[in-house]
Amino acid sequence: QSVLTQPPSVSGAPGQRVTISCTGSSSNIGAGYDVHWYQQLPGTAPKLLIYRNNNRPSGVPDRFSGSRSATSASLAITGLQAEDEADYYCQSSEVFGGGTKLTVL
Amino acid sequence: QVQLVQSGAEVKKPGSSVKVSCKASGDTFTNYAINWVRQAPGEGLEWMGGIVPVFGTTNYAQKFQGRVTITADESTSTAYMELSSLRSEDTAVYYCARTGRQLVLVGFFDYWGQGTLVTVSS
């Protein structure tokens, strides 16, 4: 059982908006640690998607955005595309969420 | 452009050890921590530990304390992860990943190696 809790799966049709939640505790997100997000396409290494809660590395489309509150965080993807189908992981301090599989219908 | 290139796949017997390497290029090696993250088949990501090469400081996840050793060779810009007393549950892809902020052990991981599959089987 992961320290950060994510929904196992989410889905959406092309063009729609989806969100993925990441719930932590007073030991990680609640303690002030930043939240980071990664995208993992099948058979590849994770790729940094969002760092320090709401920052995008160069090259990541602005369709991806992050937010954080007291003990939780969210990743939002707008204008869903087929290529977004992947596993998504949140991270805070040294702990990861269990991952969320995004299916584009 | 930063690149992390890992050593090839390994097949090991239960009870043995494995040592995986991660060679960095394209940026200053010593100031950025290298961490190791593993992923069992069909499972999520699990942080194992990391090292800040310039200080030689390491930190390990409690789960792996006593079984994992992470080292770095500044002369070759290579980090290593050695895991001992292997069991079948250690079968996984092992990734090295660079912390994106200088001199900090754990933070966001901006560059990742391609992964090394370690299979533990009798």
Side-chain angles (χ1 to χ4, degrees), chain A residues 13-58:
Chain A
Q16 283 190 331
R17 178 182 187 270
V18 297
T19 62
I20 298 172
S21 61
C22 173
T23 303
S25 69
S26 57
S27 301
N28 38 69
I29 301 175
Y33 290 101
D34 290 323
V35 179
H36 321 296
W37 292 89
Y38 302 87
Q39 177 193 61
Q40 186 176 34
L41 298 170
T44 68
K47 168 192 168 185
L48 180 65
L49 201 60
I50 297 287
Y51 66 98
R52 292 187 194 142
N53 309 314
N54 55 15
N55 296 278
R56 283 186 309 276
S58 173

Side-chain angles (χ1 to χ4, degrees), chain A residues 81-92:
Chain A
Q81 299 180 4
E83 66 204 48
D84 298 333
E85 189 159 290
D87 294 324
Y88 293 83
Y89 294 90
C90 62
Q91 176 210 354
S92 183

